[in-house]
Amino acid sequence: AELWDGVPLAPPDSIFKLTASYKADTNEKKVNLGVGAYRDDNNRPWVLPVVKKATKILLNDENLDHEYLPITGLPEFTAGAAKLILGPNSRGITEGRAVSVQTISGTGANHLGALFLSRFYGWNGAPKVYLSNPTWANHHAIFKNVGIEPVDYPYYDPKTIGLDFNGFIGALQAATPRSVFLLHACAHNPTGVDPTEEQWKTIASVMLEKGHYAFFDCAYQGFASGDLDRDAWAVRYFVEQGVALLVCQSFAKNAGLYGERVGALHVVAPTKEAADRVRSQLSVLQRSEISNPPSHGARLIALILNNGELFEAWKADVRTMAGRIIEMRKELRRLLTDELHTPGNWNHIVEQIGMFSFTGLNAAQSKTMVEKAHIYMTGNGRISMAGLNRQNVGYVAASLDAVVR
Ligand SMILES: Cc1[nH+]cc(COP(=O)(O)O)c(CN[C@@H](CCC(=O)O)C(=O)O)c1O
């Protein structure tokens, strides 16, 4: 047999394939509503003004070197990142129970968290993780890669194009005690449907009662409401309530640092002594995989998080991005409802929050949007609202109207 004969041909990743197809498309009407990456009103990637400021500061820093970072990353980055998501006065931080490790963006945090659980969590039988149905395209592969079997929990209700809250709670109650549930902290991907604060409180109380573990994935802090603290509410509430948890954090979207791969994993342990042991094992795992993380993006975020003026400027930039997306939600819903009188109810376009909208289009309709209208979107009906702008929103609305009629 030839070397690698046993290697099967894997299918291309759905989201990255969409981006490649969009780039290859020569039709001047093409619109990219695929990858969850922010674009300004001229459909250009947006380098946040605050990131430009921080970059200049770095470039003028005579002492800047290219030495290794510690295995757990740049300390002024991880400390700032922990405060950002857990809250500046979090008991997890003040009691020394929060373990923070800089990772290769949000994906790296998901991976390291999953790898750690696969090795050290007290599993009831075969390792498994409950993932929302639907969830981010990459979640299943991340957990399978470390030997944790993904299992779906009900999350989205196609009838209401909203949250299947009863199904979700039912799954929490039916699962064996101390099961691991992945929770989207805010701006659920792909549905844009988040639990209300009241619903989060019920979810937390059932998880406490059952001893479940909350594996939070937070890739869009600031993108849902435009307010960094509001979007961290669920995570902070769960820490306060004493739910066992970890949080995966990404700065790809809210800082526009997609390709710099800036993220962190925060594990909140029950005691400081446990935290020290968890940190030591996370370091062993990180060392064998990447040894230590890249410095550039972490330095930018550390400057922004630890300098009052830059932090305020960043909050303004986050509000700009969230604000433009919310404007596009309103405009798309207005066109469909008031101008085109498109069949169906389109209120979910404005009720959903964050980067994405789950349109309710089925696979065939989504396919038609790509093939006929050159509007690139995922097969599950998800559109990235950041791909909309004043120039193309009319064309997208007309195309949506055509496929649903
Ligand atoms: C829920 C979630 N978690 C983690 C990540 C990882 O992000 P990063 O920090 O870059 O590793 C993403 C990005 N998902 C959007 C971007 C492309 C991708 O799939 O990755 C998306 O769904 O379009 C998420 O949507």
Side-chain angles (χ1 to χ4, degrees), residues 13 15-16 34-37 104-108 110 136-139 184 189 217-220 249-253 258 261-262 356 382:
D13 176 83
I15 291 171
F16 283 87
V35 68
I104 308 291
S105 214
T107 304
N110 273 266
W136 175 43
N138 208 15
H139 275 146
H184 295 237
N189 175 4
D217 185 3
C218 185
Y220 300 95
Q249 183 180 35
S250 167
F251 290 90
K253 290 87 177 182
Y258 303 89
R261 316 306 295 135
V262 194
F356 306 108
R382 180 191 93 170

Side-chain angles (χ1 to χ4, degrees), residues 219-292:
Y220 300 95
Q221 184 179 2
F223 250 96
S225 68
D227 180 309
L228 292 162
D229 292 319
R230 269 191 62 188
D231 288 357
W233 185 86
V235 171
R236 295 176 186 177
Y237 179 77
F238 275 57
V239 172
E240 231 173 84
Q241 295 297 306
V243 179
L245 64 88
L246 64 77
V247 197
C248 304
Q249 183 180 35
S250 167
F251 290 90
K253 290 87 177 182
N254 58 13
L257 291 176
Y258 303 89
E260 298 300 344
R261 316 306 295 135
V262 194
L265 170 70
H266 307 283
V267 181
V268 182
T271 64
K272 181 181 179 325
E273 192 273 334
D276 293 342
R277 284 183 282 108
V278 167
R279 185 179 297 103
S280 74
Q281 290 300 339
L282 284 172
S283 300
V284 167
L285 294 171
Q286 176 109 311
R287 168 66 166 149
S288 69
E289 292 201 323
I290 63 168
S291 181
N292 51 88

Side-chain angles (χ1 to χ4, degrees), residues 197-211:
E197 282 188 8
E198 281 319 300
Q199 290 172 328
W200 273 127
K201 287 180 179 173
T202 307
I203 292 163
S205 70
V206 175
M207 289 190 79
L208 264 180
E209 192 187 301
K210 300 280 294 188

